Amino acid sequence: MKRLSVLAIIALTIAFAPAAKAQSSPHTALYDTLARLDSALFSIAYTCQPDKIVHFFTEDLEFYHDKGGVMRGRDAFLETLKKNFCGPQATRLRRELVPGSLQVYPMDGYGAIQTGEHRFYVTQNGQPERLPGIARFTHLWQFSNNEWRI
């Protein structure tokens, strides 16, 4: 009986493993869509263009940062972006997705989870750009009214 249970578990694992892997593999329509949105978001995120970035986020946005803590609300998030990245003396940040790190997992009835790693390059006070480190990220994308938003 114990052997039959072990065989059943192995069979189920083999049966469902390809489906789980396919969900996060590149080149599915969902993966391609969210990879494109991720690229568009970060091409403008730190360039002081709140009118262009606002549509990427739901009003009830929650932003969790290992150093900055929790921030709730799209407006508060956008104000923080303006405060830190607008103006002549502002910090300049450039984000680079680590190749091969992006994964996408669909969430039936809601949207998708997107994870990966990214590098942030910082330029301050006219100094040369520097790489402080690599960070992991997780975005919860909501699909509503034919639009994707974090």
Side-chain angles (χ1 to χ4, degrees):
M1 186 66 163
K2 188 175 184 176
R3 182 174 177 203
L4 183 57
S5 296
V6 170
L7 289 175
I9 291 170
I10 291 171
L12 285 172
T13 302
I14 291 170
F16 289 109
K21 180 129 176 90
Q23 292 175 350
S24 67
S25 68
H27 310 300
T28 65
L30 177 61
Y31 179 95
D32 292 344
T33 296
L34 294 185
R36 180 181 49 75
L37 289 169
D38 177 83
S39 178
L41 168 64
F42 283 100
S43 71
I44 61 172
Y46 304 108
T47 60
C48 195
Q49 300 179 62
D51 55 321
K52 289 185 178 181
I53 198 171
V54 68
H55 72 277
F56 282 96
F57 305 110
T58 61
E59 287 184 32
D60 62 347
L61 171 74
E62 291 184 359
F63 181 76
Y64 298 86
H65 193 276
D66 60 333
K67 293 179 177 52
V70 180
M71 185 178 309
R72 290 187 172 86
R74 178 177 62 199
D75 293 341
F77 179 73
L78 294 175
E79 280 302 312
T80 299
L81 286 180
K82 283 185 215 175
K83 177 181 166 190
N84 292 318
F85 302 108
C86 293
Q89 299 301 315
T91 298
R92 301 290 177 229
L93 207 57
R94 181 174 62 85
R95 183 255 197 174
E96 183 180 274
L97 182 65
V98 173
S101 71
L102 191 67
Q103 295 182 350
V104 173
Y105 302 93
M107 280 184 71
D108 289 343
Y110 188 84
I113 297 172
Q114 178 186 51
T115 67
E117 293 182 345
H118 47 199
R119 297 178 185 104
F120 284 97
Y121 295 88
V122 177
T123 304
Q124 291 176 305
N125 302 322
Q127 297 295 316
E129 183 179 74
R130 64 184 175 80
L131 172 64
I134 297 176
R136 293 184 109 0
F137 68 92
T138 301
H139 293 155
L140 177 58
W141 288 90
Q142 181 182 35
F143 188 69
S144 180
N145 298 321
N146 257 356
E147 293 181 324
W148 286 99
R149 293 178 186 231
I150 294 175

PDB file of all heavy atoms in Angstrom, residues 96-115:
ATOM      1  N   GLU A  96      17.706  47.922 -14.441  1.00  0.00           N
ATOM      2  CA  GLU A  96      18.029  46.953 -15.473  1.00  0.00           C
ATOM      3  C   GLU A  96      17.558  45.578 -15.011  1.00  0.00           C
ATOM      4  O   GLU A  96      17.968  45.105 -13.946  1.00  0.00           O
ATOM      5  CB  GLU A  96      19.547  46.960 -15.677  1.00  0.00           C
ATOM      6  CG  GLU A  96      20.071  46.075 -16.751  1.00  0.00           C
ATOM      7  CD  GLU A  96      21.578  46.195 -16.836  1.00  0.00           C
ATOM      8  OE1 GLU A  96      22.047  47.118 -17.530  1.00  0.00           O
ATOM      9  OE2 GLU A  96      22.284  45.388 -16.196  1.00  0.00           O
ATOM     10  N   LEU A  97      16.694  44.955 -15.782  1.00  0.00           N
ATOM     11  CA  LEU A  97      16.223  43.611 -15.475  1.00  0.00           C
ATOM     12  C   LEU A  97      17.365  42.619 -15.682  1.00  0.00           C
ATOM     13  O   LEU A  97      18.070  42.688 -16.691  1.00  0.00           O
ATOM     14  CB  LEU A  97      15.046  43.255 -16.392  1.00  0.00           C
ATOM     15  CG  LEU A  97      14.389  41.906 -16.176  1.00  0.00           C
ATOM     16  CD1 LEU A  97      13.716  41.836 -14.811  1.00  0.00           C
ATOM     17  CD2 LEU A  97      13.366  41.645 -17.273  1.00  0.00           C
ATOM     18  N   VAL A  98      17.569  41.710 -14.733  1.00  0.00           N
ATOM     19  CA  VAL A  98      18.596  40.682 -14.882  1.00  0.00           C
ATOM     20  C   VAL A  98      18.093  39.682 -15.926  1.00  0.00           C
ATOM     21  O   VAL A  98      17.009  39.102 -15.757  1.00  0.00           O
ATOM     22  CB  VAL A  98      18.880  39.977 -13.539  1.00  0.00           C
ATOM     23  CG1 VAL A  98      19.818  38.794 -13.729  1.00  0.00           C
ATOM     24  CG2 VAL A  98      19.440  40.965 -12.526  1.00  0.00           C
ATOM     25  N   PRO A  99      18.831  39.512 -17.018  1.00  0.00           N
ATOM     26  CA  PRO A  99      18.381  38.617 -18.087  1.00  0.00           C
ATOM     27  C   PRO A  99      18.096  37.205 -17.564  1.00  0.00           C
ATOM     28  O   PRO A  99      18.857  36.660 -16.762  1.00  0.00           O
ATOM     29  CB  PRO A  99      19.559  38.601 -19.066  1.00  0.00           C
ATOM     30  CG  PRO A  99      20.283  39.880 -18.817  1.00  0.00           C
ATOM     31  CD  PRO A  99      20.122  40.141 -17.336  1.00  0.00           C
ATOM     32  N   GLY A 100      16.979  36.658 -18.012  1.00  0.00           N
ATOM     33  CA  GLY A 100      16.603  35.296 -17.639  1.00  0.00           C
ATOM     34  C   GLY A 100      15.941  35.158 -16.284  1.00  0.00           C
ATOM     35  O   GLY A 100      15.552  34.055 -15.900  1.00  0.00           O
ATOM     36  N   SER A 101      15.785  36.252 -15.532  1.00  0.00           N
ATOM     37  CA  SER A 101      15.233  36.144 -14.173  1.00  0.00           C
ATOM     38  C   SER A 101      13.710  36.319 -14.113  1.00  0.00           C
ATOM     39  O   SER A 101      13.084  35.948 -13.129  1.00  0.00           O
ATOM     40  CB  SER A 101      15.889  37.168 -13.245  1.00  0.00           C
ATOM     41  OG  SER A 101      15.468  38.482 -13.555  1.00  0.00           O
ATOM     42  N   LEU A 102      13.128  36.869 -15.151  1.00  0.00           N
ATOM     43  CA  LEU A 102      11.694  37.187 -15.120  1.00  0.00           C
ATOM     44  C   LEU A 102      10.846  35.921 -15.190  1.00  0.00           C
ATOM     45  O   LEU A 102      11.069  35.057 -16.042  1.00  0.00           O
ATOM     46  CB  LEU A 102      11.337  38.112 -16.283  1.00  0.00           C
ATOM     47  CG  LEU A 102       9.942  38.725 -16.234  1.00  0.00           C
ATOM     48  CD1 LEU A 102       9.837  39.689 -15.056  1.00  0.00           C
ATOM     49  CD2 LEU A 102       9.647  39.463 -17.529  1.00  0.00           C
ATOM     50  N   GLN A 103       9.880  35.827 -14.277  1.00  0.00           N
ATOM     51  CA  GLN A 103       8.925  34.721 -14.275  1.00  0.00           C
ATOM     52  C   GLN A 103       7.528  35.292 -14.107  1.00  0.00           C
ATOM     53  O   GLN A 103       7.337  36.291 -13.412  1.00  0.00           O
ATOM     54  CB  GLN A 103       9.219  33.746 -13.145  1.00  0.00           C
ATOM     55  CG  GLN A 103      10.548  33.049 -13.301  1.00  0.00           C
ATOM     56  CD  GLN A 103      10.790  32.051 -12.192  1.00  0.00           C
ATOM     57  OE1 GLN A 103      10.067  31.987 -11.202  1.00  0.00           O
ATOM     58  NE2 GLN A 103      11.821  31.247 -12.354  1.00  0.00           N
ATOM     59  N   VAL A 104       6.552  34.645 -14.730  1.00  0.00           N
ATOM     60  CA  VAL A 104       5.167  35.095 -14.677  1.00  0.00           C
ATOM     61  C   VAL A 104       4.278  33.895 -14.363  1.00  0.00           C
ATOM     62  O   VAL A 104       4.418  32.835 -14.965  1.00  0.00           O
ATOM     63  CB  VAL A 104       4.744  35.733 -16.028  1.00  0.00           C
ATOM     64  CG1 VAL A 104       3.269  36.035 -16.039  1.00  0.00           C
ATOM     65  CG2 VAL A 104       5.559  36.992 -16.289  1.00  0.00           C
ATOM     66  N   TYR A 105       3.363  34.091 -13.410  1.00  0.00           N
ATOM     67  CA  TYR A 105       2.441  33.043 -12.986  1.00  0.00           C
ATOM     68  C   TYR A 105       1.016  33.586 -13.027  1.00  0.00           C
ATOM     69  O   TYR A 105       0.714  34.560 -12.329  1.00  0.00           O
ATOM     70  CB  TYR A 105       2.768  32.573 -11.562  1.00  0.00           C
ATOM     71  CG  TYR A 105       4.177  32.058 -11.424  1.00  0.00           C
ATOM     72  CD1 TYR A 105       5.204  32.908 -11.024  1.00  0.00           C
ATOM     73  CD2 TYR A 105       4.481  30.736 -11.717  1.00  0.00           C
ATOM     74  CE1 TYR A 105       6.506  32.450 -10.907  1.00  0.00           C
ATOM     75  CE2 TYR A 105       5.778  30.268 -11.598  1.00  0.00           C
ATOM     76  CZ  TYR A 105       6.793  31.127 -11.195  1.00  0.00           C
ATOM     77  OH  TYR A 105       8.074  30.673 -11.082  1.00  0.00           O
ATOM     78  N   PRO A 106       0.142  32.996 -13.819  1.00  0.00           N
ATOM     79  CA  PRO A 106      -1.239  33.493 -13.881  1.00  0.00           C
ATOM     80  C   PRO A 106      -1.985  33.239 -12.576  1.00  0.00           C
ATOM     81  O   PRO A 106      -1.701  32.270 -11.872  1.00  0.00           O
ATOM     82  CB  PRO A 106      -1.859  32.689 -15.016  1.00  0.00           C
ATOM     83  CG  PRO A 106      -0.981  31.524 -15.233  1.00  0.00           C
ATOM     84  CD  PRO A 106       0.369  31.853 -14.704  1.00  0.00           C
ATOM     85  N   MET A 107      -2.903  34.136 -12.260  1.00  0.00           N
ATOM     86  CA  MET A 107      -3.806  33.990 -11.114  1.00  0.00           C
ATOM     87  C   MET A 107      -5.227  34.060 -11.654  1.00  0.00           C
ATOM     88  O   MET A 107      -5.700  35.144 -11.992  1.00  0.00           O
ATOM     89  CB  MET A 107      -3.604  35.125 -10.105  1.00  0.00           C
ATOM     90  CG  MET A 107      -2.443  34.956  -9.195  1.00  0.00           C
ATOM     91  SD  MET A 107      -2.387  36.309  -7.996  1.00  0.00           S
ATOM     92  CE  MET A 107      -3.774  35.936  -6.953  1.00  0.00           C
ATOM     93  N   ASP A 108      -5.872  32.918 -11.739  1.00  0.00           N
ATOM     94  CA  ASP A 108      -7.225  32.869 -12.296  1.00  0.00           C
ATOM     95  C   ASP A 108      -8.154  33.828 -11.573  1.00  0.00           C
ATOM     96  O   ASP A 108      -8.162  33.910 -10.348  1.00  0.00           O
ATOM     97  CB  ASP A 108      -7.792  31.447 -12.198  1.00  0.00           C
ATOM     98  CG  ASP A 108      -7.112  30.490 -13.161  1.00  0.00           C
ATOM     99  OD1 ASP A 108      -6.452  30.965 -14.112  1.00  0.00           O
ATOM    100  OD2 ASP A 108      -7.237  29.269 -12.963  1.00  0.00           O
ATOM    101  N   GLY A 109      -8.902  34.598 -12.345  1.00  0.00           N
ATOM    102  CA  GLY A 109      -9.888  35.509 -11.788  1.00  0.00           C
ATOM    103  C   GLY A 109      -9.327  36.815 -11.270  1.00  0.00           C
ATOM    104  O   GLY A 109     -10.066  37.656 -10.773  1.00  0.00           O
ATOM    105  N   TYR A 110      -7.999  37.001 -11.351  1.00  0.00           N
ATOM    106  CA  TYR A 110      -7.417  38.257 -10.855  1.00  0.00           C
ATOM    107  C   TYR A 110      -6.413  38.854 -11.836  1.00  0.00           C
ATOM    108  O   TYR A 110      -6.532  39.979 -12.240  1.00  0.00           O
ATOM    109  CB  TYR A 110      -6.746  38.060  -9.487  1.00  0.00           C
ATOM    110  CG  TYR A 110      -6.323  39.371  -8.883  1.00  0.00           C
ATOM    111  CD1 TYR A 110      -7.230  40.145  -8.165  1.00  0.00           C
ATOM    112  CD2 TYR A 110      -5.030  39.867  -9.052  1.00  0.00           C
ATOM    113  CE1 TYR A 110      -6.867  41.373  -7.635  1.00  0.00           C
ATOM    114  CE2 TYR A 110      -4.653  41.087  -8.522  1.00  0.00           C
ATOM    115  CZ  TYR A 110      -5.578  41.834  -7.816  1.00  0.00           C
ATOM    116  OH  TYR A 110      -5.211  43.049  -7.302  1.00  0.00           O
ATOM    117  N   GLY A 111      -5.387  38.117 -12.176  1.00  0.00           N
ATOM    118  CA  GLY A 111      -4.336  38.645 -13.033  1.00  0.00           C
ATOM    119  C   GLY A 111      -3.135  37.733 -13.060  1.00  0.00           C
ATOM    120  O   GLY A 111      -3.220  36.602 -13.503  1.00  0.00           O
ATOM    121  N   ALA A 112      -2.009  38.217 -12.514  1.00  0.00           N
ATOM    122  CA  ALA A 112      -0.782  37.431 -12.547  1.00  0.00           C
ATOM    123  C   ALA A 112       0.223  37.942 -11.520  1.00  0.00           C
ATOM    124  O   ALA A 112       0.177  39.104 -11.107  1.00  0.00           O
ATOM    125  CB  ALA A 112      -0.155  37.489 -13.932  1.00  0.00           C
ATOM    126  N   ILE A 113       1.124  37.055 -11.148  1.00  0.00           N
ATOM    127  CA  ILE A 113       2.251  37.403 -10.301  1.00  0.00           C
ATOM    128  C   ILE A 113       3.483  37.397 -11.195  1.00  0.00           C
ATOM    129  O   ILE A 113       3.692  36.481 -11.975  1.00  0.00           O
ATOM    130  CB  ILE A 113       2.429  36.390  -9.152  1.00  0.00           C
ATOM    131  CG1 ILE A 113       1.203  36.412  -8.246  1.00  0.00           C
ATOM    132  CG2 ILE A 113       3.706  36.688  -8.368  1.00  0.00           C
ATOM    133  CD1 ILE A 113       1.194  35.315  -7.211  1.00  0.00           C
ATOM    134  N   GLN A 114       4.297  38.428 -11.055  1.00  0.00           N
ATOM    135  CA  GLN A 114       5.524  38.561 -11.836  1.00  0.00           C
ATOM    136  C   GLN A 114       6.682  38.712 -10.850  1.00  0.00           C
ATOM    137  O   GLN A 114       6.608  39.525  -9.924  1.00  0.00           O
ATOM    138  CB  GLN A 114       5.422  39.794 -12.730  1.00  0.00           C
ATOM    139  CG  GLN A 114       6.642  40.088 -13.558  1.00  0.00           C
ATOM    140  CD  GLN A 114       6.474  41.413 -14.293  1.00  0.00           C
ATOM    141  OE1 GLN A 114       6.147  42.422 -13.684  1.00  0.00           O
ATOM    142  NE2 GLN A 114       6.690  41.393 -15.588  1.00  0.00           N
ATOM    143  N   THR A 115       7.712  37.920 -11.019  1.00  0.00           N
ATOM    144  CA  THR A 115       8.882  38.013 -10.157  1.00  0.00           C
ATOM    145  C   THR A 115      10.147  38.067 -11.004  1.00  0.00           C
ATOM    146  O   THR A 115      10.132  37.701 -12.176  1.00  0.00           O
ATOM    147  CB  THR A 115       8.995  36.809  -9.188  1.00  0.00           C
ATOM    148  OG1 THR A 115       9.259  35.630  -9.950  1.00  0.00           O
ATOM    149  CG2 THR A 115       7.741  36.625  -8.366  1.00  0.00           C
TER     150      THR A 115
END
